[in-house]
Amino acid sequence: MSDRGYRRPRPLSPLREHLRDTFWFAPTMGFVCVFVLWLVATELDDALVRLLQREEAYDELGELIAFSQDAKTIVTTISSAMMTFIGVVFSISLVAVQMASGQLTPRVVRIFVRSRISKLTLTVFLATFLFSLPVLSSYESESDPRRVVSVPLVQSLLILVMLGLSLLLFVVYVSATLRLMQVGPVVDRIARDSLRVLGRMPRGPRGEDGPGPETARVMHEGRAGVLRDVNTARLVRAARRQDVVLRLLPRIGDFVVPGTPVLAVHGGPVPPPHRLRYTVSVSVERTLHQDLAFGLRQLADIALRALSTSVNDPTTAVQCLDRIVQFLAAVAHLPLGAVHHRDRDGRVRLVQDGPEWDDLVDLAFEEIRWCVAGSPQVSRRLMAGLDDLLLLVPEDRKKSLVRHRALLVQTVERTVPVTADREFALLPDRQGIG
C-alpha cells in the first residue's frame, strides 16, 4: 500500500515533550549559560584592561573604572531585590492559576507548566540574580589605572541588559497570566494544542491487514499510572532488529498497573529487555503529546463544570462547543483508529490503537448532552454543531452524529413540557442564543 504522507517518528520527540512538562529544565540550563557567559565576559574585561595598559591609555581606563563603580550600585540593588521580586511575582501567578483551575478545570495548570513565557521569565529572573553575584565579586577596590587588574565593564553592561530584559518579560508574563484566567484564550489554547497533535499524527493508510498471529506478550513492570506516551521510534527500531511486529495493547491515556500486558509480539520472540527500556512512559496524568482525545476531554470537562448547578455558566459551555466542533471538523475526513508505524524500508513494525470517529463523537457530546436540560443556549448550540458536522463528514461517519441529534431531541422533549419552549430550545443557533 502507498506510504505517501507517512512520517516516521522523531527519536527525541518523547524526551522533548517530557522536558516541556517540567519546570526545572529551563532554569537549570539558564544557570549553566549564565556561568559560561560570566567566564566569557570576565575574559573580555581582563583582555580590555591589558590592552589599555599596554597602550598606556590610562585616562580611558580611568573613565571605565569610574563607570564600573557607578554601575556597582545598580548591580548591588539588583542582587538584593531580584529574589524578593521573583517571590512576589510568582506568588501572585500561582494564585491566578489556582483561580483558573477552580473556575475551569484543574488540567489548565498544565498550560501554565508548559508555557514558554513562564519558563523564560523564571529563567531570566533567576539568571539575572545569579549573574549579579559573581559580578559583585569582580569589582576591585583598586582605582589606580596602572595597578588595576580587572574592570567588570562587559559584566556590568550585561547585567543592565538582563535587567531590561527582565522588566520586559515581566510585562509580557503578567499579560499571559491574565489571559490564563479568561475562558476564551484557555479553550483556544486547548484547541490549538489538539490540532497540533493531529498534525503530528502519521498520515499513512489505515485498515491494513493484521500483523499476523501473536507469539508473545510483554508485561508492564513499572509503576501504576496513566499511559502517557510511547517512544515509537525506539519500538520500531527494536521490532526491526528482531524482525517482528509489535502491537501496543492499551491506548494512550489508559490506566495501567504492573503485571498487565502492554505489548503484543507478532512473528517472533520478544526483543531483548534493554531494547524495550524507556519505550513506555507512565505518569500520574495524561498529556497531549500523543493523546488525540485528551483535548476533547479537557473541553468537555470545562463545559460540564460550566453547566453544573454551582457554576451555571452556559456561555462558557457554548465556547467549549465551538472548539469541539472545530476539532471534529478537522478530523472529519482523516483516517482514524489503529496507526501503523513503519521502519525505513516501509514495513509495518508497530501497530498503535487509537480512537475511532465514534469514540471522539461520544467523548465530545455524550456528557454535555446529559446536562443541557434547562439550558436552551447550550442545546441550540449543540444542535447547530451537529447539523454543521453532518454537512461536513462523509456518509459512513454520519451515524453517530444522527444518533446524538436524535437523543438531544428526546432529552429536550422529555425535560421541557411547553411546546413553544421545546421548539425554541431545539432551534439551531451557532451563538446559542445570538
Side-chain angles (χ1 to χ4, degrees):
M1 301 184 71
S2 173
D3 298 335
R4 183 179 179 182
Y6 178 76
R7 294 169 292 180
R8 293 202 308 273
R10 294 176 294 180
L12 294 180
S13 180
L15 176 61
R16 182 175 64 87
E17 291 297 324
H18 291 182
L19 292 177
R20 283 199 64 190
D21 285 334
T22 66
F23 217 73
W24 58 265
F25 180 74
T28 302
M29 295 303 298
F31 293 162
V32 175
C33 294
V34 161
F35 182 71
V36 174
L37 183 63
W38 176 73
L39 291 178
V40 174
T42 302
E43 186 63 31
L44 291 175
D45 286 331
D46 294 345
L48 180 61
V49 171
R50 291 193 299 267
L51 175 63
L52 294 177
Q53 288 176 341
R54 188 166 56 249
E55 298 292 336
E56 297 184 354
Y58 296 117
D59 292 339
E60 290 81 358
L61 184 56
E63 293 176 358
L64 295 183
I65 294 174
F67 173 81
S68 65
Q69 290 300 323
D70 293 338
K72 181 180 179 180
T73 305
I74 301 177
V75 176
T76 304
T77 304
I78 293 173
S79 180
S80 60
M82 185 56 71
M83 286 305 296
T84 303
F85 181 63
I86 293 173
V88 172
V89 170
F90 279 88
S91 296
I92 297 174
S93 302
L94 291 178
V95 172
V97 172
Q98 185 178 12
M99 292 178 59
S101 64
Q103 294 173 355
L104 302 177
T105 172
R107 277 152 289 282
V108 301
V109 178
R110 172 188 169 276
I111 298 177
F112 175 80
V113 173
R114 290 176 62 89
S115 171
R116 290 187 175 93
I117 187 61
S118 299
K119 296 177 182 178
L120 180 61
T121 303
L122 178 63
T123 300
V124 173
F125 283 4
L126 294 177
T128 303
F129 169 74
L130 182 64
F131 192 74
S132 66
L133 300 181
V135 172
L136 285 174
S137 65
S138 301
Y139 289 100
E140 296 183 8
S141 58
E142 182 62 57
S143 59
D144 187 355
R146 294 174 175 80
R147 301 175 58 184
V148 71
V149 177
S150 176
V151 178
L153 173 64
V154 177
Q155 300 174 62
S156 301
L157 291 176
L158 285 176
I159 197 69
L160 294 177
V161 171
M162 295 177 69
L163 175 62
L165 181 60
S166 298
L167 295 177
L168 176 62
L169 286 175
F170 169 69
V171 175
V172 178
Y173 176 75
V174 170
S175 176
T177 304
L178 291 177
R179 285 178 60 83
L180 184 62
M181 301 177 63
Q182 302 174 16
V183 177
V186 171
V187 297
D188 176 68
R189 174 67 180 271
I190 295 173
R192 286 189 288 110
D193 288 346
S194 301
L195 293 175
R196 194 174 295 115
V197 175
L198 185 64
R200 290 197 301 261
M201 287 181 57
R203 294 287 188 259
R206 305 294 207 276
E208 301 185 8
D209 295 335
E214 181 179 318
T215 55
R217 285 194 170 188
V218 179
M219 304 300 173
H220 177 56
E221 298 179 353
R223 62 174 181 172
V226 175
L227 183 59
R228 181 183 188 179
D229 56 30
V230 293
N231 192 328
T232 52
R234 190 177 178 90
L235 285 173
V236 168
R237 186 164 56 248
R240 183 177 183 274
R241 291 177 177 175
Q242 199 70 17
D243 195 21
V244 296
V245 177
L246 299 177
R247 180 167 55 90
L248 186 68
L249 296 176
R251 285 185 182 180
I252 300 296
D254 287 355
F255 192 87
V256 295
V257 297
T260 56
V262 291
L263 289 171
V265 184
H266 298 262
V270 177
H274 70 273
R275 292 181 181 172
L276 297 179
R277 193 174 296 128
Y278 308 121
T279 56
V280 176
S281 175
V282 173
S283 183
V284 295
E285 61 180 357
R286 297 166 69 176
T287 180
L288 269 170
H289 176 213
Q290 297 175 356
D291 196 342
L292 185 62
F294 187 44
L296 286 179
R297 177 71 273 166
Q298 293 180 80
L299 292 173
D301 285 347
I302 297 174
L304 291 174
R305 177 164 294 195
L307 292 174
S308 65
T309 55
S310 59
V311 178
N312 192 22
D313 184 11
T315 303
T316 295
V318 168
Q319 290 179 281
C320 293
L321 284 171
D322 292 341
R323 300 301 178 176
I324 288 174
V325 173
Q326 176 191 2
F327 178 80
L328 291 178
V331 302
H333 295 276
L334 297 180
L336 297 171
V339 180
H340 295 78
H341 299 280
R342 303 171 181 273
D343 59 16
R344 58 192 178 191
D345 298 325
R347 297 183 59 185
V348 174
R349 293 299 183 183
L350 174 65
V351 179
Q352 181 179 351
D353 192 20
E356 300 282 355
W357 169 256
D358 291 346
D359 299 328
L360 296 178
V361 172
D362 290 340
L363 174 59
F365 298 128
E366 185 70 29
E367 295 171 295
I368 297 177
R369 181 173 50 78
W370 283 45
C371 300
V372 300
S375 180
Q377 182 180 0
V378 181
S379 63
R380 288 160 65 100
R381 179 64 186 96
L382 182 55
M383 182 66 71
L386 290 169
D387 289 347
D388 288 341
L389 290 173
L390 283 170
L391 296 176
L392 294 174
V393 302
E395 194 65 33
D396 59 339
R397 291 187 173 180
K398 291 184 177 181
K399 182 178 179 180
S400 58
L401 296 173
V402 171
R403 181 177 68 86
H404 278 282
R405 193 181 190 283
L407 290 174
L408 175 61
V409 173
Q410 294 176 16
T411 299
V412 174
E413 289 178 344
R414 184 174 62 252
T415 56
V416 181
V418 180
T419 302
D421 290 341
R422 288 199 301 266
E423 294 176 352
F424 180 82
L426 292 175
L427 184 65
D429 187 348
R430 292 187 180 91
Q431 295 185 23
I433 300 178

